[in-house]
Amino acid sequence: MQKKLTRPEVLAPAGTLEKLKVAIQYGADAVYIGGQAYGLRSRAGNFSFEEMAEGVAFANAHHAKIYVAANMVTHEGNENGAGAWFRKLRDIGISAVIVSDPALIAIAASEAPGLAIHLSTQASATNFETLEFWRRLGLERVVLAREVSMEELSEIRKHTAVEIEAFVHGAMCISYSGRCVLSNYMSLRDANRGGCSQSCRWKYDLYDLPYGSERHSITGEIPEAFSMSAVDMSMIDHIPDLIENGVNSLKIEGRMKSIHYVSTVAMTYKKAVDAYLESKETFEAIKPALVDELWKVAQRELDTGFYYGIPDEHKQLFGARRKIPEYKFVGEVVDFDAATMVATIRQRNVIMEGDTIEFYGPGFRHVDTVIHNLRLAQTDERIDRAKNPMELLHIDVPFAVSVGDMIRKSGAGLINLYDQKTGETKTVRARA
C-alpha cells in the first residue's frame, strides 16, 4: 500500500506588508513576520498592529496564514506587557506566534488562550524527546534546529505527532541556533534580543604575534581576510526527502530580503512541492529548472547545511566564489493594456533600450524578451536609459503579462566557477 504523503506548507518571510502580499501571491501558504516587540530582527520592517490586520485580511482572502515571530530571550523586565500584546495578536487573527523563551510561552498560553504557539528554532530542538516535551505543554509545532540531519529528522518524525517545521532555504548561522553571543562581545548588540550585528560575516585580519614583539599583519600572505561566514542553505534538490519524512512546513529564511527574493523563492518551492506530489518523474523533470531559478537570486553560494553531514571548509565563504547570480531585478508590472500590448512597469534598477529581460510570475511562468520602445509613462517620451528607481515606464511587449509579474535583466556580470578537485578557478562572462 502506497504511503499517503502530507502536503507541507511553504512558509515565506516578510519584512514589510508589500513583501507579505508578494509572498502569498507567488505561492506561499503561510508568511511569518515580526511585530514591534519581542522579535529578533530589530532592523527588519517590523509590523504595526494596523499593518498586521491588513496582512491578515489579505491572507484570509487568499487562504493563507500569518505567523508572528516573538522569539527573543527575555531579560528581567522584557516580558512586561507581553500578555496584552499576545491577546492583541490573537484578536487581530494571527494564526500562531513563534516563541523560544519559556517565560513568553507561559504568558502566551495563559493570557492569550486560543493563540497557537510554535517553538522557535532559537530553542535548538534536536530530538523527539524535546518535541514531545513541548507538545505536552500545549505547543502544536516545533521549528527544528538547523543542525538536525535528515537521518535525525526521520527518527524524530517516527516518534512524535507534533508538527515539524524545518528550514529549507536561506542564511545559515555559523553558531548553534540561539546560542551565539559573538555580536554581544564584538559590538555590544545582543543577538538573542534582536540586535545581532552578524559579526561572523565580517572579514578578520590575521596576525603573527611573536612573544615580546609588535604584532605583524600577514594580510597579503594569505588569499583573503578570514571570516566565519557559512554559505546559504538550499534544499530544492531534496524536497522529496523532506516530504517523505513528514515535514509539515518548509521554512524560508529572509525577512530582510527583497521582493525579488521573496517572490522567486516562494514560487520555486511551491512548484517543487506541487511537482513531487504529482509524481517523482514530474519533479525530476523540472528539478534543473528549479535549481537554476534559485541561483538567480542567490546572494551567497548554496549548499544543504547539516542535512547530509557536518559542513566542511567548502561550506564556508572563503576563497573564490564558485558561482554568482546572472540576473538583476529591474522592475515589476503595474498595468498591462491588452489592446496596445503596452506594459507599465515600476522600475527598480537601471534598464536600457535593447536589454534582454525575463518576465516571471506566479505558477512558475517565465518568458524572455528584449526591451523595445522604452519611454516615460507620464509623458510617453522615448528614452534610451532609465536610471531612476520607482519611476513608471512604458515598454512594448509581444505577449500578455499580468499585474504583479516581476522583471529581471539577464547577462549582469561574471561567474566564477571553482573546481573543488583541482582548486582552480575559471571566470566566464554570464550569458546575455
Side-chain angles (χ1 to χ4, degrees):
M1 185 176 182
Q2 188 174 8
K3 180 171 69 172
K4 180 176 173 56
L5 299 176
T6 300
R7 173 182 287 274
E9 72 177 12
V10 173
L11 175 57
T16 64
L17 192 56
E18 178 191 29
K19 294 173 189 176
L20 180 153
K21 294 178 179 180
V22 166
I24 292 172
Q25 289 169 330
Y26 274 75
D29 303 294
V31 173
Y32 65 99
I33 65 176
Q36 295 180 339
Y38 309 111
L40 282 183
R41 288 291 183 271
S42 60
R43 290 171 292 143
N46 293 316
F47 283 59
S48 66
F49 290 136
E50 292 76 16
E51 289 171 323
M52 287 184 189
E54 184 177 343
V56 167
F58 184 87
N60 289 343
H62 292 80
H63 310 290
K65 297 179 179 180
I66 306 295
Y67 309 140
V68 172
N71 51 352
M72 72 177 291
V73 174
T74 58
H75 287 224
E76 288 298 333
N78 292 153
E79 77 285 357
N80 293 338
W85 192 77
F86 284 125
R87 285 194 297 274
K88 182 68 173 179
L89 299 189
R90 179 197 61 190
D91 296 343
I92 286 173
I94 295 299
S95 296
V97 287
I98 307 168
V99 191
S100 65
D101 192 301
L104 290 180
I105 290 173
I107 292 170
S110 63
E111 299 197 32
L115 178 63
I117 304 171
H118 298 172
L119 187 73
S120 169
T121 191
Q122 294 299 111
S124 292
T126 57
N127 56 75
F128 73 82
E129 292 91 346
T130 296
L131 272 68
E132 280 293 285
F133 170 84
W134 291 110
R135 182 189 64 79
R136 289 192 293 269
L137 288 180
L139 275 65
E140 66 178 39
R141 178 183 293 184
V142 170
V143 187
L144 293 181
R146 289 180 177 90
E147 297 79 31
V148 172
S149 70
M150 189 62 68
E151 184 179 1
E152 290 171 326
L153 193 159
S154 177
E155 197 66 18
I156 289 170
R157 178 74 290 167
K158 293 174 185 175
H159 291 90
T160 181
V162 72
E163 290 186 6
I164 292 175
E165 185 175 305
F167 277 93
V168 296
H169 197 92
M172 289 285 288
C173 183
I174 203 69
S175 299
Y176 274 84
S177 303
R179 300 291 184 265
C180 182
V181 293
L182 187 62
S183 173
N184 303 52
Y185 284 103
M186 300 302 296
S187 58
L188 301 180
R189 287 169 50 177
D190 192 338
N192 296 309
R193 285 196 285 174
C196 181
S197 59
Q198 298 196 29
S199 306
C200 58
R201 302 284 188 195
W202 300 354
K203 297 292 187 180
Y204 290 87
D205 205 345
L206 194 60
Y207 294 92
D208 179 17
L209 293 173
Y211 181 75
S213 302
E214 293 184 2
R215 68 181 186 178
H216 167 64
S217 170
I218 59 174
T219 298
E221 299 173 27
I222 55 174
E224 66 173 75
F226 176 74
S227 79
M228 293 171 278
S229 191
V231 303
D232 286 356
M233 177 191 289
S234 176
M235 286 292 287
I236 197 67
D237 298 68
H238 306 283
I239 290 299
D241 283 352
L242 294 159
I243 293 177
E244 293 287 344
N245 284 307
V247 173
N248 301 96
S249 180
L250 307 178
K251 188 166 193 169
I252 299 163
E253 183 275 338
R255 277 196 283 142
M256 297 176 69
K257 293 182 180 172
S258 68
I259 60 170
H260 180 214
Y261 171 90
V262 170
S263 59
T264 300
V265 181
M267 173 183 68
T268 304
Y269 278 92
K270 183 69 167 184
K271 185 66 175 180
V273 170
D274 290 344
Y276 186 69
L277 291 178
E278 180 178 327
S279 71
K280 293 180 180 179
E281 292 74 20
T282 302
F283 176 78
E284 289 300 323
I286 199 174
K287 186 166 70 171
L290 299 173
V291 173
D292 287 347
E293 188 72 9
L294 292 181
W295 273 108
K296 294 176 183 178
V297 294
Q299 294 181 327
R300 305 181 185 97
E301 294 179 46
L302 302 174
D303 211 294
T304 56
F306 285 81
Y307 278 114
Y308 301 102
I310 302 297
D312 60 17
E313 68 275 15
H314 298 299
K315 297 185 181 181
Q316 284 187 262
L317 292 177
F318 189 78
R321 293 190 65 177
R322 292 180 280 279
K323 191 173 183 180
I324 63 173
E326 302 173 35
Y327 288 78
K328 179 183 290 185
F329 177 48
V330 294
E332 72 263 33
V333 177
V334 297
D335 193 26
F336 173 66
D337 188 333
T340 61
M341 298 300 285
V342 171
T344 303
I345 65 175
R346 181 181 291 113
Q347 179 197 1
R348 297 283 182 150
N349 277 298
V350 174
I351 51 176
M352 302 174 63
E353 180 82 11
D355 279 345
T356 299
I357 59 172
E358 175 192 67
F359 287 86
Y360 73 94
F364 213 66
R365 292 184 288 107
H366 298 80
V367 62
D368 294 340
T369 190
V370 173
I371 290 182
H372 175 62
N373 201 12
L374 177 66
R375 53 205 190 275
L376 300 173
Q378 189 172 7
T379 63
D380 220 35
E381 174 190 353
R382 285 288 297 269
I383 57 175
D384 293 326
R385 184 173 185 266
K387 62 179 181 179
N388 300 317
M390 306 305 289
E391 194 164 40
L392 293 179
L393 307 168
H394 283 159
I395 59 172
D396 295 345
V397 289
F399 43 74
V401 295
S402 300
V403 173
D405 283 357
M406 304 289 175
I407 309 167
R408 300 187 183 106
K409 176 181 175 180
S410 64
L414 301 176
I415 309 172
N416 294 323
L417 300 175
Y418 176 72
D419 188 327
Q420 293 188 8
K421 293 182 179 178
T422 66
E424 295 179 353
T425 301
K426 179 181 180 182
T427 302
V428 298
R429 184 164 296 280
R431 65 180 183 271

